[in-house]
Amino acid sequence: MVSQLVPRRGASVKDVAAAAGVSLGTVSNVLNRPERVRPSTRERVERAMLDLGFVRHEGARQLRAGTSRALAYVMLDGRNPFFTDVAQGIEDAAMADELSVFICNSAGSDSREHAHLEHLQQQRVQGILITPVDPDSAFLAEIVRRGTPVVIVDRTRGADRFCTVAVDDVLGGRLAVEHLVELGHEHVAFVGGPTAIGQVRDRLEGARSAWVEAGRDPDALVHLATAGLTVTEGRAAGERLAGLPRRRRPTAAFCANDLLALGLLQQTIGAGGDVPRDLAIVGYDDIDFAAAAAVPLSSVRQPRQELGARAAALALEEATDPGHMHQQVVFQPELVVRASSRG
Amino acid sequence: MVSQLVPRRGASVKDVAAAAGVSLGTVSNVLNRPERVRPSTRERVERAMLDLGFVRHEGARQLRAGTSRALAYVMLDGRNPFFTDVAQGIEDAAMADELSVFICNSAGSDSREHAHLEHLQQQRVQGILITPVDPDSAFLAEIVRRGTPVVIVDRTRGADRFCTVAVDDVLGGRLAVEHLVELGHEHVAFVGGPTAIGQVRDRLEGARSAWVEAGRDPDALVHLATAGLTVTEGRAAGERLAGLPRRRRPTAAFCANDLLALGLLQQTIGAGGDVPRDLAIVGYDDIDFAAAAAVPLSSVRQPRQELGARAAALALEEATDPGHMHQQVVFQPELVVRASSRG
DNA sequence: TCCTGGAATTGAAAGGTTTCAAGAGATTCC
DNA sequence: GGAATCTCTTGAAACCTTTCAATTCCAGGA
């Protein structure tokens, strides 16, 4: 059901001007350059605004001034703490610049993402930060062509057409697997999917090269594919692992994100297994829940808030500096070792 | 550093009209009443829009049409999955109505909340949904006076001045404690704070009355006050519990939310305790991580998504129906018993 | 050929704000 | 006392879209 919207009109600058006995221009000056108006006048105008419940019409302001004071972030998954932390970083940075941030959530859906993007362009936001469903989508490039800066967060694709801010996922995968190799594991599972997701692909790639470089048997690193990056999928993966005959069963698992790792952890413990004795687990993202898990989770930490802050800065730079050149910022991940892999 | 914003102007309806060789009005008709324009003309106009990269200026549209197509939700804590789930419910409902949703996060800060509210009014959103830092704040009432509908989410205060959508927290507290009483616990801790937060107060009140009505010693229900509702605080509370001499130590804990409960759970298990044998735990909210905890957490479930959906519907009703009366919607919580309290 | 009626298109006005050149008032200096 | 200089204030134009009454166009009927 689409409801009928009714226009709502309140007091305008004109009403305020009339009430305060001044001209439009003066009211505008009170709003935008208060130092230019005589204190006594200013006070009268402010009084009138208060009395009339005046609220400046942002649409009209923007229309005339040609500028908006907002940034937007389109998250890939609003229920994954990783992304809400990135969003927090963006908000903090934007606030320092007196910008507000619209947080949107595509929830992994193409059409939802598209709807948000369309709307944000129409809002004339200063810049769109996005962790896209598909970073190669032509639509993103089209947005830039139409004049809105786009910064890709947490992906390195499309590097020539956008600024990107990402963490080196290949390195992250390496770190995790090098750690497991050092612990002496001969049989490791990589849990994650679908590989259509770039993050998954890169982490797997890093894992594989570290594994091979350590001289391990390539076939002893198995890829346990999942349909998504959720706790539920992690539990399902745990069941599949448990179903393997003991000698073919991995002694360690590296999960493509912490939600998977938490699911796997829960399933393993619930089935009477011991972590890390029976199965060492390393996750990815180091969300707050990782450290708080029953067996604190080893994880590859990404500088989430900094990721967001930097992305905001880049978008703003692109919006304001005509000579802007696209940049690729790559942060280094860091392995945090906790009980789930420490013996 | 506040950066200098530069206006960004693209093609306008006027440009499109010129390119397509039609008048302004026709372009507008293509946008708003396509059925009224002859297919061949429409096609020509659409072609021109595409070529010029035309993006409708939402500010101008709003100015003239007097109506916006957006709703906003101001969350109390963007990092608590409970609120992101509520947000999801709002988004789903809004999308069905072809509205977009601005998600904001006050992160518990008064000033941040204030900044968001100010901005949202200026955006002329159709309605503001909010879980406020302080539901009694006069500012909220002022917003309504100025013409923007406000719906309070997850609080029942201010019931006369706003629509509210909430869950019966007193009942939720009762359910949790009745369950613990049934299990035979004689010594129970309520973990949560600060009591300035209404949710905490209500849940404690429900807990206390259930306790007393069951004929238990009032002093045997201790309130373990925390400074906030986070995992970290939960762990700290666990340490304090563990420090108590055994005979004065509660055998069960009811936590004001799941984050606290997860922290408490982790600390307890980490210190070698057994849940629920040494300490039964019941949380509140039933976030996804609760079921996924190493010892699946009993919790009081709130219909999060429905809470959001209903709030959105109320805001819209208030925005569109001149004869609108404020409503108080109260949902019933539901106890979900899992291993953490099942013996 | 002319008229009629419906369909398609047009053009001007309006909506709230900001900007800026120009005007008014007050103050200072010779 | 008058000119020059400030400090404040003003009024009109512009931003982009939508709306709606008026106009044009066209096909069909007389």
Side-chain angles (χ1 to χ4, degrees), chain B residues 55-342:
Chain B
V55 179
R56 191 214 227 113
H57 192 299
E58 171 65 20
R61 207 217 98 247
Q62 209 179 109
L63 172 58
R64 173 61 227 207
T67 258
S68 94
R69 306 264 342 147
L71 229 48
Y73 178 44
V74 184
M75 292 187 286
L76 186 58
D77 177 5
R79 303 178 64 169
N80 183 340
F82 172 75
F83 292 109
T84 57
D85 286 352
V86 171
Q88 188 74 60
I90 293 171
E91 272 215 321
D92 291 346
M95 210 141 255
D97 247 338
E98 289 180 7
L99 291 171
S100 49
V101 181
F102 298 136
I103 305 287
C104 309
N105 176 20
S106 69
S109 142
D110 252 326
S111 61
R112 240 171 144 122
E113 179 180 288
H114 193 279
H116 283 309
L117 289 173
E118 203 59 71
H119 194 89
L120 292 170
Q121 287 181 82
Q122 298 185 359
Q123 289 278 343
R124 297 292 193 276
V125 294
Q126 285 279 315
I128 298 179
L129 318 188
I130 179 171
T131 304
V133 176
D134 168 18
D136 294 324
S137 148
F139 188 55
L140 287 174
E142 175 64 15
I143 293 176
V144 175
R145 187 177 81 84
R146 293 191 195 156
T148 307
V150 171
V151 175
I152 308 279
V153 177
D154 200 34
R155 289 281 54 215
T156 47
R157 296 288 209 77
D160 46 331
R161 291 165 303 158
F162 313 107
C163 283
T164 62
V165 178
V167 177
D168 187 340
D169 280 330
V170 177
L171 174 57
R174 298 186 69 89
L175 290 177
V177 166
E178 281 167 5
H179 168 61
L180 293 175
V181 164
E182 252 174 46
L183 291 173
H185 291 280
E186 301 276 351
H187 204 165
V188 169
F190 174 83
V191 181
T195 44
I197 300 179
Q199 286 88 333
V200 174
R201 221 165 30 233
D202 289 354
R203 290 165 198 178
L204 175 54
E205 182 191 325
R208 280 212 175 109
S209 49
W211 187 251
V212 171
E213 282 167 27
R216 293 290 205 272
D217 170 11
D219 292 340
L221 176 72
V222 303
H223 176 193
L224 208 61
T226 62
L229 301 171
T230 62
V231 173
T232 313
E233 285 291 331
R235 255 176 301 183
E239 277 162 26
R240 275 191 287 154
L241 267 188
L244 293 176
R246 192 165 245 315
R247 66 189 166 68
R248 286 185 41 220
R249 197 184 305 160
T251 57
F254 167 41
C255 301
N257 82 353
D258 281 344
L259 300 184
L260 283 174
L262 289 173
L264 176 58
L265 174 66
Q266 191 222 346
Q267 201 284 330
T268 306
I269 293 183
D274 182 277
V275 174
R277 193 160 43 77
D278 301 326
L279 184 71
I281 301 179
V282 177
Y284 207 106
D285 288 345
D286 193 30
I287 61 177
D288 290 346
F289 293 102
V295 179
L297 201 61
S298 296
S299 192
V300 178
R301 171 182 301 166
Q302 315 199 58
R304 311 185 282 278
Q305 309 231 355
E306 210 174 336
L307 208 60
R310 194 60 182 277
L314 282 177
L316 219 51
E317 189 196 303
E318 182 166 349
T320 53
D321 171 12
H324 171 87
M325 299 287 295
H326 293 326
Q327 287 175 43
Q328 278 63 53
V329 177
V330 178
F331 287 100
Q332 303 302 307
E334 180 190 350
L335 179 70
V336 180
V337 177
R338 297 201 185 86
S340 75
S341 71
R342 204 158 33 200

Side-chain angles (χ1 to χ4, degrees), chain A residues 1-2 4-5 8 55 58 69 79 85 92 97 100 112 119 122 124-125 147 266 288 291 293-294 320, chain B residues 1-2 4-6 8 55 58 69 79 85 92 97 100 112 119 122 124-125 147 266 288 293-294 320:
Chain A
M1 174 253 340
V2 174
Q4 179 70 32
L5 299 181
R8 232 174 0 88
V55 179
E58 172 65 19
R69 306 268 336 150
R79 304 178 65 169
D85 286 353
D92 291 346
D97 248 338
S100 49
R112 241 172 143 122
H119 194 91
Q122 297 185 0
R124 297 293 193 273
V125 294
Q266 191 222 345
D288 289 348
T320 53
Chain B
M1 175 255 338
V2 174
Q4 179 72 32
L5 299 183
V6 297
R8 229 175 2 89
V55 179
E58 171 65 20
R69 306 264 342 147
R79 303 178 64 169
D85 286 352
D92 291 346
D97 247 338
S100 49
R112 240 171 144 122
H119 194 89
Q122 298 185 359
R124 297 292 193 276
V125 294
Q266 191 222 346
D288 290 346
T320 53

Side-chain angles (χ1 to χ4, degrees), chain A residues 25-253:
Chain A
T26 301
V27 178
S28 177
N29 280 336
V30 170
L31 250 21
N32 302 298
R33 297 177 220 69
E35 74 285 358
R36 281 209 201 155
V37 10
R38 190 196 302 160
S40 64
T41 314
R42 180 165 62 205
E43 204 172 311
R44 204 148 31 92
V45 172
E46 280 165 348
R47 178 83 252 149
M49 288 184 176
L50 229 46
D51 290 346
L52 297 174
F54 169 78
V55 179
R56 188 215 228 114
H57 192 299
E58 172 65 19
R61 208 217 96 247
Q62 211 179 105
L63 172 59
R64 172 62 227 205
T67 258
S68 95
R69 306 268 336 150
L71 227 47
Y73 178 44
V74 184
M75 290 189 286
L76 186 59
D77 177 6
R79 304 178 65 169
N80 182 341
F82 172 75
F83 292 109
T84 58
D85 286 353
V86 171
Q88 187 76 59
I90 294 171
E91 272 216 319
D92 291 346
M95 208 141 255
D97 248 338
E98 290 180 7
L99 292 171
S100 49
V101 181
F102 298 136
I103 306 286
C104 309
N105 176 20
S106 68
S109 140
D110 252 326
S111 61
R112 241 172 143 122
E113 179 181 287
H114 194 278
H116 282 309
L117 290 173
E118 204 58 71
H119 194 91
L120 291 170
Q121 287 181 82
Q122 297 185 0
Q123 289 279 342
R124 297 293 193 273
V125 294
Q126 284 280 313
I128 297 179
L129 318 190
I130 181 171
T131 305
V133 175
D134 167 18
D136 294 323
S137 147
F139 189 55
L140 288 174
E142 176 62 16
I143 293 176
V144 175
R145 186 176 82 87
R146 293 192 196 154
T148 307
V150 170
V151 175
I152 308 280
V153 178
D154 200 34
R155 290 279 56 214
T156 47
R157 294 289 207 80
D160 45 332
R161 291 164 302 159
F162 313 107
C163 282
T164 63
V165 179
V167 178
D168 186 341
D169 280 330
V170 176
L171 175 58
R174 299 186 68 91
L175 291 176
V177 166
E178 281 167 6
H179 168 60
L180 293 174
V181 165
E182 252 173 47
L183 291 173
H185 292 280
E186 302 276 352
H187 205 163
V188 169
F190 174 83
V191 181
T195 43
I197 300 179
Q199 286 88 335
V200 174
R201 223 167 25 234
D202 289 354
R203 290 164 199 178
L204 174 55
E205 181 191 327
R208 280 212 175 112
S209 51
W211 186 252
V212 171
E213 282 168 27
R216 293 290 205 270
D217 171 12
D219 293 339
L221 176 72
V222 302
H223 177 193
L224 207 61
T226 62
L229 301 172
T230 63
V231 173
T232 312
E233 285 292 330
R235 255 177 301 183
E239 276 161 27
R240 274 191 288 154
L241 269 187
L244 294 177
R246 190 166 248 315
R247 66 187 165 73
R248 283 185 42 218
R249 198 183 303 158
T251 56

